[in-house]
Amino acid sequence: MPVLQRKTNHWNKISLVTLLTGLVSMSVVLTVTILLISSYQSKKQALINTTLTLNHTSALKMSHTIDSLIKSMRSSLRYSSNLFSKPMSAAEGYSKLELIRHTNNYFNSITVVDETGLVRYVSPESIGTVGQHITTETAKTALALKKPYISKPYVTASTNRLIVFISEPIFEENGNYRGFIAGTIYLHENNILNTIFGSNPTDELDSSFYIVGSDGHLLYHRDTNRIGEDISENQAVRKLIQGKSGYEQMVNLRGETVLSAYVKVPENGWGVVAVSPISAVYEQLNRHLASILLYMLPPFLLLMLVVIWLARRVARPFVSLADLVSKAGREEVDLAQGKQHWNREAELLTRAIRYAFSDMKKQTDQLAHDARTDPLTGLTNRRTLEETLQQWMEEPISFSVIMMDLDHFKSINDTYGHQSGDEVLKHFAQIVSASLRSGDVCCRFGGEEFVALISHADAKEAYQVAERIRHTLETSPNPIGQPITVSQGIAHFPSHTDSAEDLLHLADEALYNAKRSGRNRTEIAEG
């Protein structure tokens, strides 16, 4: 029985090698776990914020596009209404409508109705309503209003199509009301909306967008079967109906958590919603985590091998001592076995741990650097831009924002390839960096857009900087051997606004004014 007890105690004891290896392994694993959790949480919040901001920027751009489109449609109808203010033959009226419809491609069909509600001319002629009186409440409303009108989506009685109806009144020179001219958009067929927006590719976060009418019905969606659906209970759509614009995390009608940005179209009350599923963000986070683990695994395995070896070296003197004691009195002892220099091995272990932490710190520093730097151009990214904006506004100091967008960059990618497009972006980044002072900040805002913060400079001084950048880009040799131009918008803090969001918005508005004015120019925000 005593022998059995001694054997049990022997197996219950923990060896010094196991203890040292376990302690070091636990320390390393806990440290790596803390670093991974910290990196995961930081990356998650950064991805969510970046996705929301990018979705808001996309929705804002599409809102501007739709706003300009509706204005152009109304302008086209307004001009056409003057052509039909005088009587003409059916053939002549049809010919003019055909010319208008095929010239601008805004509408799937165009109709002229006189003041009595009689359909005078229709293009295309196959609709077959010429000579009939209007019957739909929408058309009757447009006739009665005697002013510009945009309908809610409705199904026509004659063709059973889901359409949106835009009309302009027709007046004679003496002011007599002569009816209206109306253009229709067939929502379930090829139309101006899917021509403009249908080619937008899906990004790595599976982002998408849709357009809703003022009553919450879908006017455009990548799933064409959903067009016309009433989604007014959607949280983002409810806020659009209330006249709000913004971005936030919310739950859609299917119970999915999404990152939504919603922007109102000023011209007609429509709204644009850009969404990204939160699940795609977590998928990207998991890939990020797997990548970190993959990079850390080799040095971690190497570290563990070193730890085990060092633990054995440190424990060897104690093992030898125990062996000597066990042999004492029973056999001859070789004292040479007890000669060990374990302090030196402990120093080696310390160095190994220091090496491991140094390696992990380098990787963490690299991750932090990557989180603040655009990998293509080497410029800072939006995160640094937002931090600088907040810091300068809190100090506060006077500064200007230059929003820059390369003209026809998509054409460069399509013509010369994305690799040449990347070289153009790097070339432009070098020009901008060389044109700024050491205290200024330049970041890649996204795609072909760049933003520069010019400290202690008013709008006129920033304009000189922007023009120097524009002229240098236009005249200097570049990777594609063809002239490259840039459009730029400028806003100043605090003379234009004291809000960071509004400042970027004003600079973006000025940029798009430059685009609309012919590109290759610099515009200063109004205000």
Side-chain angles (χ1 to χ4, degrees):
M1 189 67 180
V3 175
L4 179 59
Q5 182 65 39
R6 283 196 298 271
K7 185 178 293 186
T8 303
N9 289 339
H10 171 76
W11 287 109
N12 285 339
K13 302 300 181 182
I14 300 176
S15 70
L16 185 59
V17 173
T18 303
L19 179 62
L20 292 175
T21 303
L23 288 174
V24 174
S25 301
M26 186 185 304
S27 299
V28 172
V29 169
L30 286 175
T31 302
V32 171
T33 302
I34 293 171
L35 290 174
L36 287 177
I37 292 174
S38 175
S39 174
Y40 183 87
Q41 294 297 330
S42 175
K43 183 72 173 179
K44 181 181 74 173
Q45 194 58 48
L47 271 177
I48 289 175
N49 292 339
T50 300
T51 303
L52 284 171
T53 304
L54 289 176
N55 283 349
H56 184 255
T57 301
S58 299
L60 194 61
K61 289 180 180 179
M62 285 182 279
S63 172
H64 291 327
T65 300
I66 295 172
D67 195 62
S68 299
L69 175 64
I70 297 300
K71 288 178 179 177
S72 298
M73 286 178 167
R74 283 180 159 170
S75 177
S76 174
L77 287 176
R78 196 176 304 117
Y79 170 79
S80 302
S81 69
N82 294 328
L83 300 179
F84 292 92
S85 61
K86 298 177 181 179
M88 63 184 70
S89 66
E92 184 181 1
Y94 172 72
S95 176
K96 286 187 177 182
L97 284 186
E98 279 285 284
L99 179 62
I100 294 168
R101 186 168 67 89
H102 290 293
T103 298
N104 54 43
N105 289 323
Y106 288 149
F107 305 106
N108 295 92
S109 67
I110 305 178
T111 304
V112 174
V113 178
D114 68 16
E115 69 276 14
T116 67
L118 183 67
V119 178
R120 291 290 184 182
Y121 319 108
V122 173
S123 173
E125 194 174 21
S126 59
I127 294 177
T129 56
V130 174
Q132 300 177 16
H133 281 84
I134 57 176
T135 58
T136 64
E137 291 301 320
T138 302
K140 290 178 180 179
T141 300
L143 184 65
L145 284 176
K146 300 182 182 180
K147 61 182 181 181
Y149 175 68
I150 298 181
S151 75
K152 298 176 181 178
Y154 72 98
V155 177
T156 61
S158 58
T159 61
N160 200 32
R161 287 187 172 103
L162 181 66
I163 71 168
V164 169
F165 176 100
I166 303 176
S167 69
E168 286 285 333
I170 300 174
F171 292 98
E172 293 180 338
E173 292 183 358
N174 58 12
N176 289 334
Y177 181 55
R178 300 294 296 169
F180 65 82
I181 180 170
T184 57
I185 301 174
Y186 298 168
L187 296 179
H188 276 131
E189 300 177 29
N190 288 331
N191 57 58
I192 187 67
L193 295 180
N194 55 43
T195 298
I196 294 176
F197 301 112
S199 60
N200 284 5
T202 300
D203 60 20
E204 61 180 3
L205 291 176
D206 196 28
S207 300
S208 62
F209 70 95
Y210 52 87
I211 303 170
V212 293
S214 58
D215 61 344
H217 283 80
L218 279 171
L219 304 179
Y220 172 83
H221 195 282
R222 65 181 179 182
D223 182 0
T224 56
N225 293 324
R226 297 191 63 189
I227 294 176
E229 179 183 335
D230 182 2
I231 59 169
S232 56
E233 292 303 313
N234 180 284
Q235 295 181 40
V237 176
R238 282 207 306 267
K239 296 197 175 186
L240 284 171
I241 293 174
Q242 295 168 5
K244 299 178 182 178
S245 295
Y247 53 90
E248 59 189 275
Q249 183 174 317
M250 55 182 59
V251 178
N252 63 18
L253 294 179
R254 299 181 178 182
E256 302 167 335
T257 302
V258 293
L259 303 174
S260 296
Y262 44 94
V263 178
K264 195 85 171 176
V265 179
E267 181 68 15
N268 60 354
W270 292 2
V272 178
V273 182
V275 296
S276 300
I278 195 71
S279 58
V281 172
Y282 284 111
E283 287 176 7
Q284 192 172 50
L285 279 171
N286 291 336
R287 290 196 298 270
H288 171 71
L289 188 62
S291 176
I292 293 177
L293 288 173
L294 184 62
Y295 281 113
M296 296 183 71
L297 186 59
F300 177 74
L301 292 176
L302 176 62
L303 174 63
M304 293 310 302
L305 291 175
V306 173
V307 167
I308 293 172
W309 177 73
L310 290 176
R312 291 181 179 276
R313 293 290 301 273
V314 170
R316 188 175 299 168
F318 301 95
V319 174
S320 299
L321 180 60
D323 185 56
L324 286 174
V325 171
S326 65
K327 291 179 180 179
R330 290 187 292 111
E331 60 182 84
E332 186 177 353
V333 177
D334 184 4
L335 296 177
Q337 294 181 12
K339 295 180 179 180
Q340 300 292 331
H341 303 286
W342 61 269
N343 285 334
R344 180 174 179 275
E345 273 59 32
E347 178 64 17
L348 291 176
L349 178 60
T350 302
R351 291 180 183 179
I353 294 176
R354 288 175 180 172
Y355 166 78
F357 278 102
S358 175
D359 185 68
M360 285 184 285
K361 185 178 183 303
K362 287 179 182 178
Q363 294 189 35
T364 303
D365 292 344
Q366 184 63 43
L367 288 173
H369 177 268
D370 292 343
R372 302 171 62 89
T373 305
D374 176 52
L376 177 65
T377 63
L379 299 177
T380 58
N381 59 16
R382 294 175 66 114
R383 190 175 191 178
T384 304
L385 172 71
E386 292 168 358
E387 292 175 355
T388 305
L389 277 172
Q390 182 178 0
Q391 178 185 344
W392 288 7
M393 287 182 170
E394 289 175 352
E395 288 187 11
I397 65 172
S398 170
F399 66 95
S400 292
V401 173
I402 306 176
M403 187 81 71
M404 298 166 276
D405 188 279
L406 292 173
D407 297 329
H408 305 295
F409 185 72
K410 183 178 183 301
S411 175
I412 293 176
N413 276 338
D414 293 343
T415 305
Y416 301 96
H418 288 277
Q419 186 173 358
S420 296
D422 289 347
E423 293 300 319
V424 168
L425 292 176
K426 290 190 283 188
H427 171 69
F428 181 62
Q430 292 171 357
I431 290 175
V432 175
S433 297
S435 302
L436 301 183
R437 301 165 300 182
S438 59
D440 300 332
V441 175
C442 180
C443 85
R444 185 181 178 194
F445 200 66
E448 67 272 23
E449 282 192 308
F450 296 77
V451 175
L453 303 182
I454 313 300
S455 63
H456 303 289
D458 58 22
K460 291 182 179 180
E461 293 170 328
Y463 182 85
Q464 295 175 356
V465 175
E467 283 294 283
R468 182 164 63 247
I469 293 171
R470 187 183 65 80
H471 178 72
T472 303
L473 175 66
E474 187 179 14
T475 58
S476 64
N478 60 69
I480 64 173
Q482 297 294 328
I484 303 173
T485 61
V486 64
S487 298
Q488 302 172 110
I490 297 173
H492 177 255
F493 172 86
S495 64
H496 284 137
T497 179
D498 57 358
S499 163
E501 181 179 351
D502 291 342
L503 190 67
L504 292 175
H505 177 71
L506 287 173
D508 194 52
E509 284 286 344
L511 166 63
Y512 276 91
N513 285 337
K515 290 283 188 182
R516 287 191 289 267
S517 300
R519 296 184 172 87
N520 191 22
R521 58 188 293 121
T522 304
E523 294 283 351
I524 298 176
E526 298 179 358

